[in-house]
Amino acid sequence: MIAASLTGVATVAAHGQTAPVSQDPRLAFTTVVQGLPTGIDNLVSAFVPVSEDTLLLGYRADGTIRQVTLRPGQAALPGPVLVDLPIITRTPGDTQAEYGIQGLVTHPQFPAVPWAYVRYSQSLDGVTDMPQAMVTEFSTPVQSVVERLTWTPPAAPNPADPSSLIGRLERTSPPTIVLSTTIAARYHHGGPPTFGPDGRLYVPIGDYRLSTTLGINTGPTPVYQAGVILRINPDGSLPPDNPFSAAAGSPPGTDTWFAFGFRNQYGLAFDPAVADFREGLWCTDNGEAMFDELNRVPIAANGGHARIMGPVGHPRQSGSLTGQVSVPGTPASAYVDPVFSWLQTNGVTALLFLHGSALGPVFNDWVLTGNYNTAFLFRLRLTADRRAVRLTHPGLADRVDDRVPFSRTPVGTEAEELLLARNVGSPFAGVIAMSRGMDGLPLILTADGRVIRISRACPADVVGIGGEAGSGPDGLLTGDDFNAFIGAFAAGDPLADITGVGGPPATPDGLLTGDDFVAFVSQFADGCP
């Protein structure tokens, strides 16, 4: 593949950050927002697109939601505050606390239904911010809430007048709270909510480190939902087809559940190719020190925590299915083994399916996962039935990335086939959230202060007509492109040696043959608009 060597891909982004490096020449990574606050105390923890050129950003530490307007050809800076929510404010330097804004999502019929939903830890009075120091864990009845807001786009946007580009995000009076559940502790709150193909809202609740209990703690008041995925209607009412209910003999408090048995789920997403809500939900889950997970979560599933994390049969597995919880009076709440795991936990976060994206159908079987610790972006290919992932390296037959330490580059290891990009964020400031933009292209929020867009590149379209220095791709496959391709090989650039004799599937063979030219033209056909 030749794109990086011939197009002069930048190695340094704004603010001295290292630019993302794509492992797939068909895809380009471009910073579209920069200058967001960085560091655990000032994290921008959530975002959602509301138009092709507008994003809403949730600032975890101060509970504000701000607008950012994207501008062609330049990285935007954060804009004005639209909403200031009454949150629990973290104690500076507390790297464990997860108080503040945890997620943003729009209604599935947005913008026709102009509602945005924000999940956050609400102060006790619901009016002003409240310091974390006033919270006694497992005692103070702090609530994790999902509040519904209304978005109004700017009436007469004029690029020459920045103030005219600002929309309105408004709270009702009193606030419209569609979900409220008690927070037990400062950690393991879970991640952002998502909507399913059934129009219901799904909310991941972490285990609050209640490692000896599962699902629900019925001990002293208050009662905690823990390690579960909740399912509600957009107005906060209960769907009649939830799998667990007191009427059917389930314990009190289970009527909002969709699934249980998780530790700290930061990524929650439905496969857009699966219409049945009972089969299409996936989540990521974070292990303690071993076995971060990628899970498919059918209705009434039991993810296994706190008895087990990672696959049952792995030789490094120390957990057990013994003592697994079942919920009486319900459909079989069977344990579900993870689809894939990372042996050493790397802080797996967001999850995004590419089916139906503007990147094109060639990527329809991909699901992307990000992580906080290493700033690697992984992609896994789904099987035809979309219930598992396709892995080719013999070392991945156990469905586990066994790299130790987790910071070791996947290049040259069994995990190389999983790696889509490096430097998607910075070490210990990697991927926070992912979303599909209103234009259908993936967007990635990173903890080092960026929003990055993934778009199609044209790996074989190397230069403009005439081959002028710096002219770049022009959307045409011309003699100039072939000359640049041959020149790269003559200069000893192995990236121009695409295939072995006989064509794909093969490996570079040190020869510039007809097979290489055929692959070069195929790249253009597949990689260009």
Side-chain angles (χ1 to χ4, degrees):
M1 307 305 176
I2 65 172
S5 60
L6 298 181
T7 58
V9 173
T11 57
V12 178
H15 302 284
Q17 297 161 331
T18 304
V21 177
S22 176
Q23 300 297 115
D24 190 317
R26 297 171 298 177
L27 298 178
F29 289 72
T30 306
T31 296
V32 295
V33 178
Q34 65 186 20
L36 304 180
T38 60
I40 198 70
D41 290 329
N42 300 299
L43 189 64
V44 176
S45 54
F47 79 129
V48 67
V50 289
S51 75
E52 286 197 12
D53 61 1
T54 306
L55 305 177
L56 301 181
L57 304 173
Y59 284 61
R60 185 174 76 172
D62 63 10
T64 59
I65 300 176
R66 309 186 189 203
Q67 177 181 332
V68 62
T69 302
L70 308 182
R71 298 180 181 276
Q74 59 181 294
L77 295 172
V81 172
L82 302 182
V83 167
D84 189 355
L85 299 165
I87 63 164
I88 305 296
T89 58
R90 297 171 58 259
T91 300
D94 185 344
T95 60
Q96 297 293 315
E98 298 174 15
Y99 295 117
I101 292 179
Q102 291 148 346
L104 280 165
V105 65
T106 51
H107 190 277
Q109 296 174 26
F110 187 91
V113 179
W115 291 340
Y117 295 77
V118 55
R119 183 183 175 205
Y120 65 98
S121 53
Q122 189 180 57
S123 65
L124 289 184
D125 66 9
V127 177
T128 59
D129 291 350
M130 172 182 168
Q132 174 183 328
M134 296 178 64
V135 176
T136 301
E137 293 186 308
F138 306 104
S139 177
T140 306
V142 170
Q143 299 295 299
S144 175
V145 304
V146 177
E147 180 176 346
R148 193 183 75 201
L149 311 171
T150 301
W151 166 254
T152 303
N158 176 8
D161 177 11
S163 64
S164 73
L165 304 177
I166 307 304
R168 299 198 317 273
L169 187 66
E170 296 175 304
R171 307 177 73 194
T172 59
S173 181
T176 302
I177 304 296
V178 301
L179 177 71
S180 185
T181 181
T182 304
I183 296 173
R186 69 185 191 274
Y187 25 56
H188 293 196
H189 292 184
T194 193
F195 275 97
D198 54 349
R200 266 65 179 205
L201 184 64
Y202 293 74
V203 185
I205 307 293
D207 73 342
Y208 303 116
R209 291 190 180 170
L210 293 169
S211 58
T212 59
T213 59
L214 283 171
I216 193 165
N217 167 29
T218 56
T221 304
V223 173
Y224 308 118
Q225 303 274 9
V228 296
I229 297 173
L230 307 181
R231 176 177 182 256
I232 61 172
N233 290 321
D235 62 0
S237 61
L238 289 179
D241 53 353
N242 275 0
F244 307 107
S245 71
S250 304
T254 60
D255 51 1
T256 56
W257 294 11
F258 180 81
F260 67 97
F262 302 98
R263 184 174 180 271
N264 202 16
Q265 326 91 291
Y266 278 108
L268 197 68
F270 276 88
D271 182 350
V274 178
D276 188 347
F277 75 91
R278 296 168 296 184
E279 297 291 338
L281 182 62
W282 292 56
C283 81
T284 61
D285 200 8
N286 283 261
E288 182 73 33
M290 296 175 62
F291 294 122
D292 281 2
E293 296 180 344
L294 173 63
N295 297 281
R296 193 179 73 85
V297 188
I299 191 169
N302 172 14
H305 182 64
R307 301 293 185 263
I308 191 170
M309 292 289 295
V312 170
H314 194 273
R316 298 288 298 276
Q317 180 58 256
S318 59
S320 170
L321 294 182
T322 302
Q324 284 292 321
V325 167
S326 61
V327 181
T330 68
S333 48
Y335 166 76
V336 178
D337 223 25
V339 168
F340 189 79
S341 301
W342 289 263
L343 177 63
Q344 192 173 60
T345 181
N346 55 61
V348 63
T349 52
L351 182 65
L352 184 68
F353 290 91
L354 295 190
H355 181 88
S357 79
L359 295 176
V362 69
F363 302 103
N364 274 352
D365 63 345
W366 284 24
V367 58
L368 307 185
T369 64
N371 72 81
Y372 184 84
N373 293 351
T374 67
F376 296 141
L377 183 66
F378 293 109
R379 61 100 173 92
L380 295 98
R381 295 186 174 97
L382 300 178
T383 54
D385 65 4
R386 304 187 73 87
R387 290 172 172 261
V389 295
R390 294 187 290 119
L391 304 165
T392 60
H393 194 288
L396 296 177
D398 58 358
R399 297 177 293 118
V400 176
D401 174 0
D402 293 303
R403 281 174 305 125
V404 176
F406 61 78
S407 56
R408 178 186 177 191
T409 176
V411 176
T413 75
E414 63 185 36
E416 183 170 359
E417 69 181 79
L418 310 176
L419 182 63
L420 177 57
R422 296 173 285 123
N423 305 331
V424 185
S426 304
F428 295 98
V431 175
I432 291 293
M434 292 191 284
S435 180
R436 186 178 296 186
M438 301 292 276
D439 59 1
L441 294 174
L443 294 167
I444 304 170
L445 173 67
T446 66
D448 69 348
R450 289 180 277 178
V451 176
I452 297 167
R453 176 188 286 135
I454 307 178
S455 60
R456 288 302 294 264
C458 191
D461 181 19
V462 181
V463 297
I465 292 176
E468 302 93 340
S471 60
D474 58 7
L476 302 173
L477 190 62
T478 66
D480 300 307
D481 297 306
F482 281 100
N483 288 336
F485 179 72
I486 295 170
F489 184 85
D493 188 343
L495 296 175
D497 179 20
I498 298 174
T499 71
V501 174
T507 56
D509 58 6
L511 303 173
L512 189 62
T513 66
D515 301 308
D516 297 306
F517 282 98
V518 169
F520 181 75
V521 174
S522 296
Q523 287 179 359
F524 182 86
D526 183 51
C528 292

